[in-house]
C-alpha cells in the first residue's frame, strides 16, 4: 500500500466515482481503477460496491480504511 493509493481512494470517495476522480487527479480512469484495485488487494477487502457505474462504500470500508486515512491526513 502506498500513500498515492490512499490519495486516489479518498478522491474517488470525495468525487463519487472513478471518472470524476480521474479528472480531478489529471489521470486516465484506468489508472485510478488500477490504484483502487491495488489498495483493495493490499487490504484484502473490496472497498467499493460497484453498481451500474456507481460506487458505494460498504460498511466494512469504514472500519478497514479509517486508520490508514487518519495517517494520510496527518502526513499531509
Amino acid at each position: 500500500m502506498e500513500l498515492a493509493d490512499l490519495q486516489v481512494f479518498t478522491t474517488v470517495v470525495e468525487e463519487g466515482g472513478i471518472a470524476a476522480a480521474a479528472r480531478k487527479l489529471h489521470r486516465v480512469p484506468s489508472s485510478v481503477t488500477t490504484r483502487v484495485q491495488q489498495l483493495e488487494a493490499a487490504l484484502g477487502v473490496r472497498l467499493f460496491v460497484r453498481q451500474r457505474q456507481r460506487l458505494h462504500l460498504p460498511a466494512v470500508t469504514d472500519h478497514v480504511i479509517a486508520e490508514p486515512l487518519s495517517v494520510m491526513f496527518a502526513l499531509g
Side-chain angles (χ1 to χ4, degrees):
M1 177 179 1
E2 297 179 20
L3 186 57
D5 297 333
L6 293 172
Q7 291 171 327
V8 168
F9 171 76
T10 57
T11 304
V12 171
V13 172
E14 290 169 356
E15 297 298 316
I18 298 288
R23 282 191 298 275
K24 184 171 184 176
L25 294 167
H26 307 289
R27 297 178 182 219
V28 295
S30 61
S31 170
V32 173
T33 298
T34 299
R35 284 288 190 172
V36 169
Q37 290 170 340
Q38 290 172 340
L39 184 57
E40 288 176 328
L43 295 172
V45 296
R46 300 282 311 257
L47 296 173
F48 295 103
V49 175
R50 293 151 176 93
Q51 296 176 336
R52 295 188 195 164
Q53 302 207 6
R54 293 199 42 113
L55 299 177
H56 303 281
L57 294 173
V60 70
T61 299
D62 291 335
H63 299 291
V64 170
I65 203 71
E67 188 174 336
L69 286 178
S70 65
V71 170
M72 185 189 81
F73 289 121
L75 293 175

